[in-house]
Each structure stands twice: as C-alpha cells, then as structure tokens.
Amino acid sequence: MQYYSLNGQSPRVDFREATILGQAPDGGLYFPETIPVADKQFTNNLQQFTREEIAFRIIRPFVGTTIPENVLLDIVTQTINFEIPLVQINENTFSLELFHGPTLAFKDIGARFMSRCLGYFSGETNRRVSVLVATSGDTGGAVASGFHNVEGVDVVILYPSGKVSSVQEKQLTTFGDNIHALEVSGNFDDCQQMVKEAFRDRDLAQKIFLTSANSINVARWLPQQFYYFFALQQWKGKQPPVFSVPSGNFGNICAGLMAWKAGLPVQHFIAACNANDVVPRFLQTGKYEPRKALPTISNAMDVGNPSNFIRIMKIFNNDAEALKKMVSSHTTGDQQTKDILLDVYHKHKYLLDPHGAVGYDGLQHYLETHGGEQGIVLETAHPIKFLDVVEPVINESIPVPASINDTLKKEKVAQRIGNSYEELKAYLEVNR
Ligand SMILES: *Cc1c(COP(=O)(O)O)cnc(C)c1O
C-alpha cells in the first residue's frame, strides 16, 4: 500500500515512511492510495473470528510488507489486550466502551498500535527516535503509556500547566524511564506551536531524529477501525447500527467511515460535537469556516479546525451531498451535556462521561426522527477522567478504577519550561 499527501506536492510513501514522517513534507495528511474492501463472507460473519483475527485482517493491507506478518499479529494482539464491550443503555441505545485501556480513553488503541510499529521500525534502523507531542489532556497519557519502555524511542510530552485534569496530569508525568513531561507555562496552542516549530527546524533535524505522535499519523488513525468491527461482532440488532461519535479532530469518525467503506454494515454516522461546531455548520451551509476553539466541559473535542475533515471529504470524493447522506451532525452545549449525563444516570443507571453524553444527545436527536433504528454511542473516556465535571453533576463521588490507583499514588515528575520555542530547543539539545 502506498500513501499520498492530500496536498499533492510530496512523493508517495509506504506505511513505514508515513508512520515515521507523520505528516507529509508538503504539510499534507497522508491518505491510502486505495481503500481495501473486505470479503463479504468476513464482514457478515464477524462472530466466527477472534478479535485478533479481525484486527489483523483489517490492518494488514494498510501495512503491506513493511512489517512481517508474525510481528504484525503480535502488535495487534498487544494493541487490543483489554475488553471493548458493547453495553446496552436503553432499548435503542448501546454504549461501545472504549475506555478499558491503560489510560481509560479510546486514544490508547491508536497510541498502542503506533508505538509498537515505530518501535519495530526504529529497531530496523538502529537509530534512536524522539517522539515529540503536545497534548490538551488525553493524547499525552495514551502516548506515554503506549510508548513506555518501547526500545529505541524517547518521548517528550508538552502540556499546558494547570489546564489538564488532575487524573490526566498524573497519567502524563508518572511513567519515568523513556517518557519525559514538560509542563509549559502557557496554553495548548502554545504547546502545539512549539512542537510545530521543532519539526520545521532543520538545524535540530541534523542532531535529533524527531517524529510526532499526532493523531493525524496513519498508524494512530487506521487501527481505530478495529473497534467498529468489534461493535458489529457484538451487535444483535436486526438492522445495521447508527454510530454516534463524539468528535473533535474527527480522526475517530473518519476511521469509522473507512471501516464502512471497507464493507462494514452501518446505517448512518453522527458526528456529535460540542459548541465547536465547524462541521455541523458546514453540513448546514456548505461553508467550511475554521474558528478559534471554544473551551467546553468536553474539552477533548475543543477543536476549531479539525485536521481529519479533509480525509473525510476525500472518502466521499469531495462530494458534500454524498457525505450528507451518510453523516449527520449535532451540537450539544455544556448545560445540555450535564442534563443528559444526570438524566441517563438516573433513568438508566449508566454513567456517561461528558464526551459520551454529547454522543448520546446526538444519537437521541437522530433516533427521534428515524423510528425503528438503533444506535451505538462511542463512549470515548471513562467518567473518572473528568471527575471535576461529573461528580458535581451527579452529586456523588465516582469509584476509582483499580487500574489507575497506582498511577494516582505516584509522584508527578515534570520539567517546567516557558512557552518559547528557544526553551524547547535548548531542552532537546541537552537532553536528547
Ligand atoms: C480525543 C478525544 C475525542 C475526539 O476524538 P477525535 O478523533 O479527535 O474526533 C473525543 N473524546 C475523548 C474522550 C477524546 O480523548
């Protein structure tokens, strides 16, 4: 499989190059030359396969020959070594719980896959790789956990001081070993700006082999198809499900659309958004107008210019009408998010996190006008990750899952730096 840049100015590359580069040299996102279509025998009989077989079959054509089959099978097996159950909330709504991985958010899946691929590629070349990543919260923890103790790879995470949740901060700063946290006196945009400058710095590139673990990386994006197949594997409805996907950068829903293109039976997709409604507006007006991100209580979706939207357009050959037939969107404000969270908790004894609540609202809105259909909300994070929001709403404390107890007890280790690129560069030159 070859990948081309959606900006059209860079040479084609294989999966290995696309993973190492992250973004194409012309600044574009990589996109696969073809979308492989799965065998109908396979997509209609998913119960007959193990999860590992499903994941392997889905990803193999995208990886091509860049990773030997036995290694790839090991990688997918480790990627999905936790449960991803489909849980019923009410008669027409199910929750696909993507939060049973080590950092309790769906980003674990992409990060675990990518880290292992990069570890394999770095072993081939014997060259140490430094992964540089800026996070507003969830990405950093997933990347830290995914890359912890991966041979040949160092990770440097930049996060905005005081702007990530307490659980998220622990998940970023307590691994040690090859994981290094930089606490930046600034906001997420500053962090992202500093990382971008590092990638542009040719002088630095001479000294350090830098790569990103950004969500646009094909090795993070493509494995997110797995759990759409796992959902269907557990699906007992008469018709294919509607998927409602809480969306920020639109990588998750874009992977779902790839799965559907590959032949997975899906009725419809809903891009569930918070006040950051660039895509809902586009679907209404036909105008795509990026804006500055607004802060909300579902902060992992506070994105004003979703990077993966261009890939979604590509899946539909830039035909907005075709896109609208398969994808709707809905916007849910903070108050409504809280109301839904409380209501679902009381009525159905199911505790959503704020992102899942946005997804739930989007789905109910759709189902109201589409009688007889049933849907799946992608529950992208465990509510404990957003306890600062959730606990006051339900007026109860949430039990801490045993799996993160140890992390919460550990001491935070982070180096404080200012928000200028010079400081980041100085740190990298001395420490990497
Ligand atoms: C990252 C994230 C999202 C948004 O996913 P995208 O792929 O960026 O659309 C939604 N919910 C949670 C909890 C997240 O961490």
Side-chain angles (χ1 to χ4, degrees):
M1 173 76 75
Q2 295 284 106
Y3 295 80
Y4 64 96
S5 165
L6 290 177
N7 280 2
Q9 303 297 315
S10 295
R12 293 178 179 231
V13 295
D14 63 9
F15 177 77
R16 178 180 183 281
E17 280 295 302
T19 299
I20 292 172
L21 292 174
Q23 198 164 13
D26 63 7
L29 270 64
Y30 281 118
F31 197 83
E33 205 166 38
T34 55
I35 302 178
V37 175
D39 193 343
K40 272 224 154 37
Q41 268 302 99
F42 171 63
T43 49
N44 292 337
N45 296 289
L46 293 168
Q47 304 77 2
Q48 294 170 12
F49 297 85
T50 65
R51 296 194 318 149
E52 289 74 15
E53 282 168 342
I54 293 174
F56 179 74
R57 276 200 184 218
I58 297 308
I59 206 70
R60 188 176 50 175
F62 289 101
V63 173
T65 55
T66 60
I67 300 178
E69 293 201 342
N70 59 332
V71 177
L72 184 62
L73 186 58
D74 270 352
I75 291 177
V76 300
T77 303
Q78 290 168 24
T79 299
I80 55 166
N81 71 347
F82 46 86
E83 54 169 350
I84 303 181
L86 186 66
V87 175
Q88 186 153 17
I89 302 182
N90 65 37
E91 65 197 32
N92 59 12
T93 307
F94 295 74
S95 165
L96 185 66
E97 296 187 344
L98 300 174
F99 57 72
H100 294 281
T103 71
L104 310 181
F106 82 96
K107 291 192 175 70
D108 278 328
I109 291 139
R112 290 171 74 74
F113 185 78
M114 178 186 167
S115 58
R116 285 161 176 80
C117 293
L118 205 55
Y120 174 78
F121 296 141
S122 133
E124 268 186 333
T125 57
N126 267 324
R127 211 176 151 198
R128 253 196 119 65
V129 184
S130 290
V131 171
L132 193 58
V133 64
T135 183
S136 59
D138 278 346
T139 297
V143 167
S145 161
F147 281 91
H148 185 221
N149 286 334
V150 171
E151 283 293 323
V153 183
D154 283 305
V155 177
V156 177
I157 302 167
L158 283 77
Y159 74 96
S161 180
K163 298 201 172 58
V164 302
S165 81
S166 48
V167 175
Q168 287 172 331
E169 183 169 42
K170 286 280 184 174
Q171 289 178 330
L172 289 173
T173 56
T174 58
F175 277 99
D177 303 315
N178 61 332
I179 311 294
H180 315 276
L182 295 181
E183 181 174 1
V184 177
S185 321
N187 59 23
F188 171 62
D189 289 329
D190 296 329
C191 298
Q192 198 149 33
Q193 195 52 38
M194 290 160 79
V195 167
K196 279 193 181 149
E197 279 192 49
F199 287 117
R200 274 202 297 265
D201 186 339
R202 288 178 190 235
D203 172 53
L204 189 68
Q206 304 289 321
K207 302 172 190 156
I208 306 168
F209 185 11
L210 266 193
T211 186
S212 93
N214 194 289
S215 67
I216 60 169
N217 195 299
V218 295
R220 268 189 65 186
W221 169 47
L222 295 169
Q224 298 180 136
Q225 294 175 86
F226 296 166
Y227 42 77
Y228 289 90
F229 284 85
F230 301 161
L232 261 291
Q233 191 188 28
Q234 300 171 69
W235 184 246
K236 300 207 167 61
K238 284 188 206 76
Q239 292 185 55
V242 176
F243 277 104
S244 179
V245 188
S247 296
N249 241 332
F250 283 68
N252 198 1
I253 191 169
C254 188
L257 289 164
M258 293 290 281
W260 164 69
K261 270 275 168 187
L264 190 74
V266 179
Q267 189 74 29
H268 197 74
F269 286 92
I270 296 157
C273 297
N274 59 27
N276 294 286
D277 60 352
V278 173
V279 172
R281 274 170 193 270
F282 169 78
L283 292 176
Q284 259 174 18
T285 65
K287 291 202 196 94
Y288 185 80
E289 296 172 321
R291 288 191 305 186
K292 224 174 119 105
L294 302 168
T296 73
I297 56 168
S298 45
N299 62 16
M301 313 194 312
D302 295 350
V303 179
N305 186 10
S307 5
N308 282 291
F309 189 64
I310 182 167
R311 281 185 173 139
I312 294 182
M313 289 304 290
K314 189 73 211 169
I315 291 174
F316 290 93
N317 289 319
N318 297 317
D319 176 350
E321 291 310 310
L323 166 68
K324 279 196 236 175
K325 283 204 186 99
M326 197 57 201
V327 183
S328 322
S329 65
H330 189 254
T331 303
T332 302
D334 279 356
Q335 189 54 49
Q336 173 76 353
T337 305
K338 291 181 187 173
D339 293 348
I340 293 276
L341 220 152
L342 186 62
D343 189 56
V344 172
Y345 187 54
H346 281 165
K347 274 207 195 111
H348 307 297
K349 305 278 166 277
Y350 191 86
L351 186 59
L352 293 159
D353 94 298
H355 306 77
V358 169
Y360 184 94
D361 191 39
L363 182 61
Q364 297 314 308
H365 184 82
Y366 178 87
L367 293 179
E368 273 165 22
T369 51
H370 292 78
E373 294 185 13
Q374 292 182 308
I376 297 174
V377 177
L378 267 55
E379 181 40 304
T380 47
H382 190 290
I384 195 80
K385 288 200 90 166
F386 301 94
L387 64 94
D388 326 8
V389 174
V390 177
E391 289 189 344
V393 171
I394 60 170
N395 205 8
E396 281 174 39
S397 55
I398 314 169
V400 177
S403 63
I404 62 160
N405 247 329
D406 284 350
T407 305
L408 297 183
K409 281 192 211 122
K410 282 188 198 152
E411 223 26 73
K412 153 183 166 184
V413 180
Q415 179 154 342
R416 272 189 166 270
I417 67 167
N419 63 352
S420 74
Y421 173 60
E422 286 64 40
E423 281 182 69
L424 174 62
K425 183 167 184 176
Y427 169 87
L428 292 171
E429 284 177 336
V430 173
N431 293 284
R432 299 276 66 80

